[in-house]
Amino acid sequence: MENNHQDLKKGLLPRHVQFIALAGMIGTGIFKGSSDTLSIAGPSVIVAYLIGGLLLFIIMAALGEMALAFPNMNVQHLVNKAFGFQVSFLVGWLYWINWIIVTVVELLAAGSFLQFWFPTIPLWLLSLLCAVVIVGINSFQVKYYGELEFWFAGIKIIALVAFIFLGCFLLFGLIPSTIQDPFSNYTAHGGFFPHGLGGTFSAFLVVMFSYGGAELIGVAVTETKDAERVLPKIIKGAVWRVIIFYIFPILIICGMMPWDKVGGADSPFVQVFTSTGLPGAAHIMNFVLLTAVLSAANSGIYATSRTLFSMAQSGVAPKGLAKLSTKGIPLTGIMITSVCIIAGVYLAYLTPSQVISYLMTIPGFTVMIIWISICAAQLKLRPHYKNQPAFKVKWFPFTTIFAIISLSVIFIGFLLNPNNVIGSTVCILTIGILIILSFVNRKTGANEITI
């Protein structure tokens, strides 16, 4: 790849990157999606989150290792270097589509949460206003995006910590409540595995979607100051925090109420806070949920615009998308993403809610494909490191191979699951179209990264 291309400005501080990773992983997956996983697997969903957390650590460690071995290269660059144009084309555009879908749904969710306070204002208008604000933030220097994400993530983390402490006080009877014998909820109502191991396995799609966003570190690394020093600490800290912030809340929810009583209409967190009788609990949790989805939408616009920029650098996307504004941001990519988001918000408003729920299965599939590609890239690139990084995956190649096999089994299992037929069909068709386009675009000439 030529060296005369523009580089993104390194405006992200270590605390920004650490919270970007946390914000990408702590979102609607835990605040809203936990009701879905509980209905699928019951209390045994904790096992799925633990196994998913182990896979998450391997993926992030592999990504961090490659980022140190090949400075200033993000996920899409690394895949291009390992496997060339076709795979890079596929992974890059899949990642972009993934975040477009996620961002649209998050903005619709933000509008629905605002309707809690403004019930007379239509959903499409509130969602559009949220989109304008988030796009505006991303149109300034990257440090402003990082700062906003830092505070968004901070609100979510504070809410989760408060929930964990409050839940523990209630479970152990330190705060009076109407809950009787809470620990029996873990084994009653069908047992710890009410739907068997099959139910636990079925929860993995939502779990993978919930943990999706960890790879944002691989997108943000090219804009991070002193990445070589801070990246290993960020990876280790982020993984353990996310596992804690998922496992503990799920344990508390399962103890506070029977898993089969957790409804899908409201967040389980809202249901638990409401059951405490605390004044204003619903308003507090609605505010937290609002910041959670805005945070995810904020990360989505960041991820999509940077993915377009890196794809343009390697010839996977039009070269015009590799241009930066005077503030050092890929403004063209942000505008294209914004048009897609506005169209998505409008179309989603016109379509039934069932269509959106079907579309939400797609990010789970794409996250697994991207994670497999990260592991496969590390497996291929490790022997070719010119400088050995200080941070490396332990027990290589066995840990990487274990992650690839595990993710592949989960992916194939969901493709064959009749309950996921719509999401599976859309995913397969999208991959097929992208494969064809990769060969068509290959003939026009593209840059393969050889540095």
Side-chain angles (χ1 to χ4, degrees), residues 7-8 47 63 88 95 111 113 137-139 165 244 261 276 383:
D7 290 320
L8 295 165
V47 177
L63 187 55
S88 175
Y95 193 63
F113 291 137
I137 292 294
N138 277 269
S139 300
F165 276 104
I244 291 171
K261 300 297 182 184
T276 64

Side-chain angles (χ1 to χ4, degrees), residues 37 40-41 48 196-207 414 417 419-420:
T37 56
I40 295 170
L197 292 176
T200 307
F201 182 82
S202 297
F204 267 110
L205 188 62
V206 182
V207 170
F414 282 112
N417 189 333
N419 295 328
N420 302 321

Side-chain angles (χ1 to χ4, degrees), residues 22 53 109 145 184 220 223 251 264 271 273 279 288 296 308 322 324-325 331 347 370 386 392:
L22 287 171
Y145 157 77
S184 66
E223 296 179 85
L251 281 170
Q271 295 176 53
F273 269 114
V288 172
L308 285 176
L324 299 175
S325 70
L331 192 60
L347 290 174
I370 292 161
K386 294 180 180 179
K392 298 175 74 173

Side-chain angles (χ1 to χ4, degrees), residues 133-295:
V133 172
I134 297 300
V135 170
I137 292 294
N138 277 269
S139 300
F140 293 100
Q141 293 181 23
V142 69
K143 64 180 181 180
Y144 296 118
Y145 157 77
E147 198 64 32
L148 180 66
E149 201 57 41
F150 175 81
W151 290 106
F152 272 164
I155 292 171
K156 290 190 288 188
I157 291 169
I158 290 171
L160 280 172
V161 170
F163 179 84
I164 290 170
F165 276 104
L166 179 61
C168 289
F169 291 157
L170 289 167
L171 286 176
F172 289 99
L174 299 178
I175 296 179
S177 69
T178 58
I179 303 170
Q180 296 181 354
D181 194 15
F183 295 102
S184 66
N185 288 328
Y186 295 113
T187 54
H189 312 283
F192 192 77
F193 292 88
H195 297 151
L197 292 176
T200 307
F201 182 82
S202 297
F204 267 110
L205 188 62
V206 182
V207 170
M208 291 296 108
F209 167 73
S210 301
Y211 282 149
E215 69 288 333
L216 273 178
I217 282 183
V219 176
V221 67
T222 54
E223 296 179 85
T224 305
K225 296 179 180 178
D226 199 12
E228 294 80 3
R229 181 181 62 84
V230 303
L231 204 57
K233 295 180 181 179
I234 290 172
I235 290 171
K236 292 176 182 177
V239 170
W240 287 113
R241 288 188 185 97
V242 167
I243 292 174
I244 291 171
F245 289 148
Y246 271 90
I247 301 302
F248 282 1
I250 295 295
L251 281 170
I252 290 170
I253 291 170
C254 289
M256 294 279 288
M257 63 179 64
W259 67 269
D260 53 354
K261 300 297 182 184
V262 177
D266 296 322
S267 165
F269 290 81
V270 173
Q271 295 176 53
V272 170
F273 269 114
T274 302
S275 68
T276 64
L278 293 174
H283 291 277
I284 294 172
M285 278 313 302
N286 195 68
F287 174 75
V288 172
L289 292 170
L290 176 62
T291 59
V293 295
L294 287 176
S295 170

Side-chain angles (χ1 to χ4, degrees), residues 29 33-42 45 49 199 203 206-207 210 250:
S34 52
S35 62
D36 295 329
T37 56
L38 283 170
S39 66
I40 295 170
V45 72
Y49 279 113
V206 182
V207 170
S210 301
I250 295 295

Side-chain angles (χ1 to χ4, degrees), residues 299-310:
S299 295
I301 294 176
Y302 176 85
T304 50
S305 60
R306 269 58 179 185
T307 299
L308 285 176
F309 176 81
S310 64

Side-chain angles (χ1 to χ4, degrees), residues 330-401:
L331 192 60
T332 306
I334 291 175
M335 292 301 102
I336 291 175
T337 300
S338 302
V339 171
C340 294
I341 289 171
I342 291 171
V345 169
Y346 178 69
L347 290 174
Y349 168 70
L350 296 178
T351 55
S353 58
Q354 290 85 351
V355 176
I356 299 301
S357 64
Y358 287 137
L359 285 176
M360 280 306 295
T361 62
I362 298 173
F365 287 110
T366 55
V367 163
M368 281 187 277
I369 294 174
I370 292 161
W371 283 13
I372 290 170
S373 68
I374 290 171
C375 289
Q378 189 233 4
L379 202 62
K380 183 175 181 179
L381 293 177
R382 168 74 84 91
H384 304 289
Y385 292 169
K386 294 180 180 179
N387 299 311
Q388 294 299 316
F391 178 80
K392 298 175 74 173
V393 176
K394 292 184 179 181
W395 305 304
F396 179 88
F398 304 108
T399 47
T400 306
I401 293 173

